[in-house]
Amino acid sequence: MTDFADLVRAFDIQANACVAFGSPFSGALLKRAKDEIAPGTGLAQLLSPFKGMNARALMGDAVPLRWLGCLHDLALSGDAPALTAAFPAADRPGDVDASWTAALARMAADPARFAGFMAHEPQTNEVRRSTCLLPMFLTVAAQTGLPLRLFEIGASAGLNQLWDRYAYDYGSGMTWGDTGAAVRLDAAWTGSPPPLGAGVHVVSRAACDRKPVDIRDPVARRRLKSYVWADQFERLARLDGAIATALAANTRVEAEDAVTWTARRARPEPGAATVLFHSVFWQYMPAESQTALSAVIADLGRQATAEAPFAWLRMEPAPRNLATMELRLTMWPGGEERLMGIGHAHGASVDWS
Ligand SMILES: C[S@@+](CC[C@H](N)C(=O)[O-])C[C@H]1O[C@@H](n2cnc3c(N)ncnc32)[C@H](O)[C@@H]1O
């Protein structure tokens, strides 16, 4: 048992986290799985590549979420009808017992599918983070009076590039965007209101990721969805709406490292504000890339003029609290860095105090 103690612990931690973050179905499945991790079981065999890692490393590599994502992917694929029938869907909450029985059967019948899926780290694209990005884009538009050229790094599927096509509701009558939009985002707002009246015009958008999710590929699209917990219907609906919007807009994400791409693509140009932005990305770069990208950004800032301003806008975890996002904006000429607010990790709230 001791060989598996850390895996059991990681599954338990993840199960509790799922419950705390609003997915009781995922929590219950992970608890079943936790009890199954023991010598000789099919699940233990599937997890053998991760044996020897401590619980912290297992959580860092999102091992429990790899397994959970694989199950959801299978359910979405229709390749395992009993699992599909047992999993939550918009019209039913999901049957944990039947899902677990079907999961055991699928792990026994097709372990290669699980092993192949679990070899990849989870990759997500949180559309609701646009609730935290919007007030910073509005601030750049209001302060420069110029149209925006957008450059997103670490964009995943590129869905937050389309932030200006979504509808926003921050409560207390604070709304923004096209109320007929396919994606409607809400967030609890505290603090002074954002400059919702600023005229915003996006003249161009571009994005990169070292491993973009190609939403034109149905398998990649399904994998992206599979990492959203199956009983979080609103999140899934938002993702569907954003994917449809991105497909209609022919959104592209270039496959390149952020350091070279930023240096090559994001030079300021007169007549528009050039905006480099990212969310929950910085921590995934090694220290030397962080240093190199900081130098590239400082160089782009030096090239900025009043006619060709440059803005660096980001939503990244606070150093000592990874669940809280700092919303920071630096604008050149000048280069003064401002902490504009604090955001919820998935965009459920914005504190603009
Ligand atoms: C946690 S995801 C966040 C995706 C998206 N920004 C969001 O908020 O939903 C981090 C993304 O950064 C990408 N990434 C990590 N290091 C990178 C690098 N050096 N260059 C480009 N993309 C990178 C990953 O591939 C992944 O898609």
Side-chain angles (χ1 to χ4, degrees):
M1 184 63 203
T2 47
D3 270 3
F4 293 102
D6 282 289
L7 277 161
V8 170
R9 188 163 150 62
F11 270 66
D12 196 37
I13 294 170
Q14 187 62 60
N16 293 334
C18 286
V19 173
F21 285 99
S23 180
F25 176 81
S26 303
L29 266 187
L30 286 162
K31 291 267 184 203
R32 298 288 175 95
K34 176 198 81 145
D35 295 337
E36 179 74 7
I37 304 172
T41 67
L43 180 55
Q45 184 61 33
L46 278 177
L47 294 170
S48 57
F50 307 103
K51 248 168 79 178
M53 293 167 69
N54 65 31
R56 192 183 169 85
L58 291 164
M59 291 302 289
D61 274 8
V63 173
L65 291 180
R66 293 180 191 218
W67 175 82
L68 190 66
C70 184
L71 271 193
H72 191 193
D73 180 77
L74 249 176
L76 291 170
S77 73
D79 295 340
L83 192 69
T84 305
F87 248 60
D91 57 351
R92 55 173 195 271
D95 180 332
V96 174
D97 290 335
S99 295
W100 176 243
T101 305
L104 282 173
R106 293 318 303 166
M107 285 191 283
D110 194 359
R113 179 161 178 160
F114 281 82
F117 191 99
M118 289 168 63
H120 297 267
E121 63 185 3
Q123 195 174 12
T124 52
N125 200 178
E126 288 296 340
V127 181
R128 204 183 189 186
R129 287 187 183 138
S130 283
T131 61
C132 295
L133 301 173
L134 174 72
M136 294 195 281
F137 288 119
L138 293 174
T139 303
V140 176
Q143 292 189 358
T144 63
L146 290 170
L148 308 182
R149 297 167 69 227
L150 303 178
F151 296 88
E152 185 182 12
I153 49 182
S156 188
L159 303 178
N160 285 323
Q161 272 185 91
L162 295 169
W163 55 269
D164 57 324
R165 309 269 173 97
Y166 305 154
Y168 297 81
D169 187 344
Y170 293 110
S172 307
M174 291 193 292
T175 59
W176 191 88
D178 173 7
T179 46
V183 179
R184 310 171 66 77
L185 305 174
D186 65 304
W189 186 274
T190 43
S192 49
L196 291 170
V200 178
H201 177 48
V202 174
V203 282
S204 66
R205 51 191 105 220
C208 85
D209 196 285
R210 67 175 173 195
K211 263 174 55 189
V213 175
D214 180 5
I215 53 169
R216 282 157 201 83
D217 172 0
V219 173
R221 206 159 60 215
R222 195 177 73 215
R223 179 183 274 271
L224 185 67
K225 275 186 81 170
S226 75
Y227 295 119
V228 176
W229 296 329
D231 52 351
Q232 298 203 319
F233 306 122
E234 278 186 19
R235 235 173 125 197
L236 285 162
R238 270 198 299 270
L239 185 55
D240 281 339
I243 289 172
T245 306
L247 286 172
N250 201 21
T251 299
R252 301 275 164 184
V253 180
E254 297 164 43
E256 188 171 336
D257 187 85
V259 180
T260 52
W261 188 84
T262 303
R264 205 164 53 73
R265 296 293 308 275
R267 295 185 186 288
E269 282 182 6
T274 297
V275 185
L276 180 74
F277 73 100
H278 51 86
S279 55
V280 197
F281 145 78
W282 196 263
Q283 75 210 73
Y284 297 101
M285 282 189 299
E288 57 275 21
S289 296
Q290 292 178 352
T291 305
L293 187 51
S294 300
V296 166
I297 291 168
D299 184 47
L300 294 173
R302 277 190 293 274
Q303 295 174 35
T305 63
E307 296 71 38
F310 181 72
W312 177 29
L313 172 168
R314 61 264 192 209
M315 169 183 184
E316 295 291 339
R320 270 177 290 280
N321 180 0
L322 294 185
T324 298
M325 299 288 146
E326 292 184 344
L327 311 178
R328 290 187 179 270
L329 175 61
T330 312
M331 288 171 69
W332 289 266
E336 183 202 350
E337 176 173 330
R338 285 177 289 168
L339 176 62
M340 307 297 294
I342 297 293
H344 175 273
H346 287 171
S349 61
V350 185
D351 180 358
W352 203 249
S353 302

